[in-house]
Amino acid sequence: MTLLDKDLIAQPQLWSLVLMPGDERLDVALIPPVADEEMIWRTFAFDSATPDRRKALEDVIYENPLLLCDFKRVYCIADCGSFMALPAGLDGDAVLEMGRSVLGPECESSHLLTEGCGAENAIMTQWIDEDTYAFLCRTFFNIRFYGRMGRLVEYLMSLPAHKAGAASAYALLRGKELTVVIVNGGKLLCANYFRCRGGNDAAYYILSALHTLGLDLASTRICAGGDGFAALAEELGRFAPHVSRLEPPALHYRTGRTTLDAPFDLLIFKPCE
Protein backbone atom coordinates (compact mmCIF):
# COMPACT_ATOMS: atom_id res chain seq x y z
CA MET A 1 0.00 0.00 0.00
CA THR A 2 1.27 3.47 -0.94
CA LEU A 3 2.60 5.45 2.01
CA LEU A 4 1.02 8.74 3.02
CA ASP A 5 3.53 11.46 2.27
CA LYS A 6 3.33 14.86 3.96
CA ASP A 7 2.81 16.62 0.62
CA LEU A 8 -0.37 14.67 -0.18
CA ILE A 9 -2.54 17.32 1.54
CA ALA A 10 -1.73 21.02 1.38
CA GLN A 11 -3.57 22.07 4.56
CA PRO A 12 -4.03 19.09 6.90
CA GLN A 13 -5.19 21.44 9.65
CA LEU A 14 -8.50 21.68 7.78
CA TRP A 15 -8.97 17.90 7.44
CA SER A 16 -10.08 15.18 9.86
CA LEU A 17 -8.02 12.05 10.45
CA VAL A 18 -9.75 8.75 11.28
CA LEU A 19 -7.67 5.82 12.52
CA MET A 20 -9.18 2.33 12.81
CA PRO A 21 -6.59 0.02 14.40
CA GLY A 22 -7.37 -3.68 14.33
CA ASP A 23 -5.53 -6.79 15.39
CA GLU A 24 -3.81 -7.20 12.01
CA ARG A 25 -3.93 -3.80 10.30
CA LEU A 26 -4.52 -0.08 10.52
CA ASP A 27 -7.23 1.50 8.35
CA VAL A 28 -6.88 5.24 7.79
CA ALA A 29 -9.27 7.82 6.37
CA LEU A 30 -8.52 11.47 5.67
CA ILE A 31 -11.83 13.32 5.45
CA PRO A 32 -11.84 16.60 3.50
CA PRO A 33 -13.35 19.88 4.73
CA VAL A 34 -15.24 20.66 1.52
CA ALA A 35 -17.58 18.72 -0.76
CA ASP A 36 -15.46 18.93 -3.92
CA GLU A 37 -12.52 17.07 -2.33
CA GLU A 38 -12.25 13.27 -2.16
CA MET A 39 -11.69 11.17 0.94
CA ILE A 40 -8.26 9.54 1.04
CA TRP A 41 -8.04 6.10 2.61
CA ARG A 42 -5.43 3.42 3.08
CA THR A 43 -5.13 0.02 4.73
CA PHE A 44 -1.75 -0.91 6.22
CA ALA A 45 -1.18 -4.53 7.18
CA PHE A 46 0.94 -4.97 10.29
CA ASP A 47 4.32 -6.64 9.91
CA SER A 48 3.75 -10.29 10.86
CA ALA A 49 7.35 -10.43 12.09
CA THR A 50 6.46 -7.91 14.82
CA PRO A 51 4.59 -9.88 17.50
CA ASP A 52 3.76 -6.79 19.57
CA ARG A 53 0.63 -5.20 18.04
CA ARG A 54 1.32 -1.83 19.65
CA LYS A 55 4.85 -1.77 18.18
CA ALA A 56 3.46 -2.73 14.77
CA LEU A 57 0.95 0.13 15.02
CA GLU A 58 3.70 2.57 15.99
CA ASP A 59 5.80 1.48 13.00
CA VAL A 60 2.95 2.11 10.55
CA ILE A 61 2.21 5.56 11.97
CA TYR A 62 5.86 6.67 12.04
CA GLU A 63 6.42 5.38 8.49
CA ASN A 64 3.64 7.69 7.23
CA PRO A 65 4.66 11.32 7.92
CA LEU A 66 1.27 12.72 6.94
CA LEU A 67 -0.37 11.01 9.93
CA LEU A 68 1.78 13.08 12.30
CA CYS A 69 0.61 16.44 10.93
CA ASP A 70 -1.69 18.71 12.90
CA PHE A 71 -5.22 17.81 11.80
CA LYS A 72 -8.39 19.69 12.66
CA ARG A 73 -9.67 16.59 14.45
CA VAL A 74 -8.37 13.08 15.08
CA TYR A 75 -10.59 10.09 15.78
CA CYS A 76 -9.89 6.48 16.67
CA ILE A 77 -12.44 3.77 15.88
CA ALA A 78 -11.10 0.89 17.95
CA ASP A 79 -11.37 -2.45 16.14
CA CYS A 80 -8.94 -4.20 18.49
CA GLY A 81 -9.45 -5.90 21.81
CA SER A 82 -12.81 -7.20 22.99
CA PHE A 83 -16.28 -5.69 22.85
CA MET A 84 -19.53 -6.53 24.61
CA ALA A 85 -23.14 -5.46 24.33
CA LEU A 86 -24.55 -4.99 27.83
CA PRO A 87 -28.01 -4.11 29.15
CA ALA A 88 -28.83 -0.40 29.13
CA GLY A 89 -28.87 1.31 32.49
CA LEU A 90 -25.86 -0.40 34.06
CA ASP A 91 -23.63 1.89 36.12
CA GLY A 92 -19.85 1.99 35.74
CA ASP A 93 -19.16 -0.48 38.56
CA ALA A 94 -21.56 -3.04 37.09
CA VAL A 95 -19.97 -2.71 33.65
CA LEU A 96 -16.50 -3.28 35.11
CA GLU A 97 -17.69 -6.27 37.11
CA MET A 98 -19.23 -7.91 34.05
CA GLY A 99 -16.05 -7.18 32.11
CA ARG A 100 -13.92 -8.86 34.75
CA SER A 101 -16.15 -11.92 34.86
CA VAL A 102 -16.07 -12.39 31.08
CA LEU A 103 -12.65 -11.09 30.00
CA GLY A 104 -10.55 -11.86 33.05
CA PRO A 105 -6.95 -10.56 32.82
CA GLU A 106 -7.63 -8.65 29.57
CA CYS A 107 -9.98 -6.38 31.51
CA GLU A 108 -7.26 -5.37 33.97
CA SER A 109 -4.81 -4.32 31.24
CA SER A 110 -7.31 -2.48 29.03
CA HIS A 111 -8.91 0.93 28.78
CA LEU A 112 -12.72 0.76 28.80
CA LEU A 113 -14.96 2.69 26.41
CA THR A 114 -18.69 2.70 27.20
CA GLU A 115 -21.05 4.30 24.71
CA GLY A 116 -24.66 4.38 23.67
CA CYS A 117 -25.45 2.63 20.40
CA GLY A 118 -28.91 3.93 19.57
CA ALA A 119 -30.64 0.83 20.98
CA GLU A 120 -33.17 1.24 23.78
CA ASN A 121 -32.08 -1.98 25.47
CA ALA A 122 -28.28 -1.96 25.18
CA ILE A 123 -24.99 -0.13 25.50
CA MET A 124 -21.72 -1.11 23.86
CA THR A 125 -18.37 -1.52 25.58
CA GLN A 126 -14.95 -1.69 23.93
CA TRP A 127 -11.78 -2.74 25.73
CA ILE A 128 -8.56 -1.28 24.27
CA ASP A 129 -5.11 -2.44 25.29
CA GLU A 130 -3.84 0.17 27.75
CA ASP A 131 -0.44 0.52 26.03
CA THR A 132 -2.11 1.09 22.65
CA TYR A 133 -4.49 3.63 24.18
CA ALA A 134 -1.63 5.48 25.90
CA PHE A 135 0.47 5.56 22.70
CA LEU A 136 -2.37 7.05 20.67
CA CYS A 137 -3.09 9.66 23.36
CA ARG A 138 0.60 10.68 23.43
CA THR A 139 0.87 10.86 19.66
CA PHE A 140 -2.43 12.63 18.89
CA PHE A 141 -3.18 15.18 21.59
CA ASN A 142 -6.77 15.86 20.46
CA ILE A 143 -7.84 12.29 19.68
CA ARG A 144 -11.37 11.03 20.40
CA PHE A 145 -12.07 7.31 20.85
CA TYR A 146 -15.01 5.18 19.76
CA GLY A 147 -15.63 1.45 19.56
CA ARG A 148 -16.14 0.07 16.06
CA MET A 149 -19.14 -2.07 16.97
CA GLY A 150 -20.80 0.74 18.88
CA ARG A 151 -20.54 3.14 15.94
CA LEU A 152 -21.74 0.50 13.49
CA VAL A 153 -24.77 -0.47 15.61
CA GLU A 154 -25.65 3.19 16.10
CA TYR A 155 -25.65 3.77 12.35
CA LEU A 156 -27.71 0.66 11.61
CA MET A 157 -30.20 1.55 14.34
CA SER A 158 -30.73 4.90 12.60
CA LEU A 159 -31.86 3.32 9.33
CA PRO A 160 -35.60 3.61 8.75
CA ALA A 161 -36.08 0.22 7.06
CA HIS A 162 -36.18 -1.91 10.22
CA LYS A 163 -38.60 0.30 12.14
CA ALA A 164 -41.72 -1.07 10.45
CA GLY A 165 -41.97 -3.98 12.89
CA ALA A 166 -40.04 -6.78 11.18
CA ALA A 167 -36.54 -7.76 12.25
CA SER A 168 -33.50 -6.81 10.16
CA ALA A 169 -30.15 -8.57 9.98
CA TYR A 170 -27.04 -6.76 8.76
CA ALA A 171 -23.86 -8.54 7.71
CA LEU A 172 -20.49 -7.16 6.63
CA LEU A 173 -18.00 -9.62 5.14
CA ARG A 174 -14.47 -8.29 4.73
CA GLY A 175 -12.05 -10.97 3.64
CA LYS A 176 -12.53 -13.68 6.27
CA GLU A 177 -14.03 -11.34 8.88
CA LEU A 178 -17.79 -11.31 9.36
CA THR A 179 -19.73 -8.80 11.46
CA VAL A 180 -23.39 -9.57 12.19
CA VAL A 181 -25.90 -7.13 13.73
CA ILE A 182 -29.57 -8.05 14.20
CA VAL A 183 -32.17 -5.53 15.34
CA ASN A 184 -35.92 -5.45 15.81
CA GLY A 185 -37.62 -2.10 16.24
CA GLY A 186 -35.50 -0.11 18.67
CA LYS A 187 -33.89 -3.17 20.24
CA LEU A 188 -30.52 -4.76 19.58
CA LEU A 189 -30.78 -8.56 19.39
CA CYS A 190 -27.27 -9.50 18.27
CA ALA A 191 -23.90 -7.84 17.66
CA ASN A 192 -21.12 -10.30 16.94
CA TYR A 193 -17.92 -10.92 15.01
CA PHE A 194 -16.76 -14.19 13.43
CA ARG A 195 -13.76 -15.50 11.52
CA CYS A 196 -15.00 -17.49 8.54
CA ARG A 197 -13.73 -19.20 5.42
CA GLY A 198 -15.91 -17.40 2.87
CA GLY A 199 -19.48 -16.80 1.72
CA ASN A 200 -20.86 -20.25 2.56
CA ASP A 201 -19.35 -20.18 6.03
CA ALA A 202 -20.57 -16.63 6.66
CA ALA A 203 -24.09 -17.48 5.52
CA TYR A 204 -24.17 -20.36 8.03
CA TYR A 205 -23.30 -18.01 10.91
CA ILE A 206 -26.00 -15.52 9.89
CA LEU A 207 -28.71 -18.14 9.44
CA SER A 208 -27.72 -19.82 12.69
CA ALA A 209 -27.99 -16.51 14.57
CA LEU A 210 -31.46 -15.89 13.11
CA HIS A 211 -32.55 -19.42 14.04
CA THR A 212 -31.23 -19.04 17.60
CA LEU A 213 -33.24 -15.82 17.99
CA GLY A 214 -36.37 -17.54 16.67
CA LEU A 215 -36.73 -15.16 13.72
CA ASP A 216 -38.69 -16.12 10.62
CA LEU A 217 -36.63 -16.00 7.43
CA ALA A 218 -39.78 -15.26 5.44
CA SER A 219 -40.24 -11.90 7.17
CA THR A 220 -36.68 -10.96 8.17
CA ARG A 221 -34.83 -8.51 5.96
CA ILE A 222 -31.15 -9.33 5.45
CA CYS A 223 -28.75 -6.64 4.21
CA ALA A 224 -25.20 -7.65 3.35
CA GLY A 225 -22.16 -5.61 2.41
CA GLY A 226 -18.40 -5.63 2.21
CA ASP A 227 -16.02 -7.04 -0.36
CA GLY A 228 -17.56 -10.51 0.05
CA PHE A 229 -21.09 -9.35 -0.82
CA ALA A 230 -21.58 -11.34 -4.04
CA ALA A 231 -20.73 -14.76 -2.60
CA LEU A 232 -22.59 -14.06 0.63
CA ALA A 233 -25.75 -12.80 -1.07
CA GLU A 234 -25.81 -15.77 -3.44
CA GLU A 235 -25.63 -18.27 -0.58
CA LEU A 236 -28.14 -16.43 1.62
CA GLY A 237 -30.54 -16.16 -1.32
CA ARG A 238 -30.91 -19.94 -1.34
CA PHE A 239 -32.66 -19.79 2.04
CA ALA A 240 -33.99 -16.27 2.60
CA PRO A 241 -36.32 -14.31 0.28
CA HIS A 242 -35.32 -10.81 1.38
CA VAL A 243 -31.60 -10.27 0.76
CA SER A 244 -30.27 -6.93 -0.44
CA ARG A 245 -27.06 -4.93 -0.48
CA LEU A 246 -26.19 -2.74 2.49
CA GLU A 247 -25.43 0.57 0.82
CA PRO A 248 -23.35 3.33 2.43
CA PRO A 249 -25.05 6.67 3.11
CA ALA A 250 -24.83 9.66 0.80
CA LEU A 251 -21.35 11.06 1.35
CA HIS A 252 -20.69 14.74 2.02
CA TYR A 253 -17.52 14.72 -0.08
CA ARG A 254 -16.70 13.82 -3.68
CA THR A 255 -16.85 10.11 -4.47
CA GLY A 256 -13.93 8.91 -6.55
CA ARG A 257 -13.36 5.62 -8.34
CA THR A 258 -12.02 3.85 -5.26
CA THR A 259 -13.89 5.69 -2.50
CA LEU A 260 -16.60 3.06 -2.10
CA ASP A 261 -13.94 0.35 -1.77
CA ALA A 262 -13.10 1.77 1.66
CA PRO A 263 -14.23 -0.20 4.73
CA PHE A 264 -17.90 0.43 5.49
CA ASP A 265 -17.02 1.75 8.96
CA LEU A 266 -15.03 4.60 7.41
CA LEU A 267 -17.77 5.47 4.94
CA ILE A 268 -20.42 5.87 7.65
CA PHE A 269 -18.20 7.92 9.98
CA LYS A 270 -19.14 11.58 10.30
CA PRO A 271 -16.71 13.92 12.07
CA CYS A 272 -18.18 16.09 14.81
CA GLU A 273 -18.88 19.66 13.72
Side-chain angles (χ1 to χ4, degrees):
M1 179 60 74
T2 306
L3 298 181
L4 294 167
D5 190 82
K6 254 186 172 180
D7 298 330
L8 188 60
I9 295 176
Q11 294 179 294
Q13 68 272 20
L14 301 179
W15 290 57
S16 294
L17 169 64
V18 184
L19 306 168
M20 189 165 71
D23 292 329
E24 300 174 356
R25 62 176 174 259
L26 173 66
D27 294 305
V28 174
L30 300 163
I31 300 179
V34 292
D36 60 352
E37 295 270 14
E38 183 179 346
M39 180 184 80
I40 299 168
W41 72 275
R42 299 283 191 277
T43 294
F44 300 99
F46 292 154
D47 185 351
S48 58
T50 305
D52 184 340
R53 185 179 62 208
R54 179 187 56 79
K55 178 62 167 61
L57 175 63
E58 286 185 15
D59 290 345
V60 168
I61 289 175
Y62 290 138
E63 287 168 1
N64 289 272
L66 180 58
L67 299 183
L68 299 174
C69 291
D70 291 328
F71 288 91
K72 182 179 181 181
R73 294 184 182 88
V74 181
Y75 304 90
C76 174
I77 306 173
D79 190 25
C80 50
S82 298
F83 68 88
M84 289 192 295
L86 296 176
L90 291 181
D91 62 24
D93 290 340
V95 170
L96 283 172
E97 184 58 34
M98 293 189 74
R100 292 188 184 102
S101 66
V102 174
L103 302 177
E106 180 185 353
C107 176
E108 303 302 328
S109 60
S110 298
H111 179 85
L112 169 64
L113 296 177
T114 303
E115 52 192 341
C117 59
E120 65 187 46
N121 64 328
I123 58 172
M124 293 300 303
T125 61
Q126 180 79 39
W127 306 79
I128 309 172
D129 171 69
E130 194 67 60
D131 288 342
T132 299
Y133 178 80
F135 163 69
L136 291 171
C137 288
R138 289 194 308 270
T139 308
F140 305 98
F141 75 94
N142 60 342
I143 191 168
R144 296 182 63 175
F145 289 86
Y146 304 94
R148 173 187 174 253
M149 188 64 81
R151 296 294 292 191
L152 178 61
V153 171
E154 183 176 42
Y155 170 75
L156 297 175
M157 291 297 302
S158 74
L159 298 180
H162 71 270
K163 296 180 180 178
S168 295
Y170 300 97
L172 289 173
L173 181 58
R174 184 183 183 190
K176 297 181 178 181
E177 302 169 9
L178 173 68
T179 303
V180 179
V181 175
I182 303 175
V183 301
N184 194 353
K187 294 184 177 181
L188 175 65
L189 304 183
C190 171
N192 217 337
Y193 167 90
F194 305 93
R195 299 284 296 188
C196 60
R197 293 186 293 270
N200 291 356
D201 207 21
Y204 167 81
Y205 283 119
I206 297 164
L207 296 172
S208 177
L210 292 171
H211 176 75
T212 299
L213 292 168
L215 296 175
D216 182 10
L217 287 179
S219 59
T220 300
R221 177 172 172 266
I222 303 176
C223 298
D227 55 24
F229 167 77
L232 179 56
E234 180 180 0
E235 185 64 18
L236 285 171
R238 297 174 52 211
F239 306 95
H242 306 296
V243 180
S244 59
R245 181 184 287 274
L246 178 59
E247 299 287 355
L251 303 176
H252 61 278
Y253 43 78
R254 182 165 58 88
T255 303
R257 185 171 57 87
T258 64
T259 304
L260 296 182
D261 293 333
F264 192 79
D265 306 274
L266 299 182
L267 294 175
I268 66 174
F269 188 84
K270 291 184 179 180
C272 299
E273 295 299 331

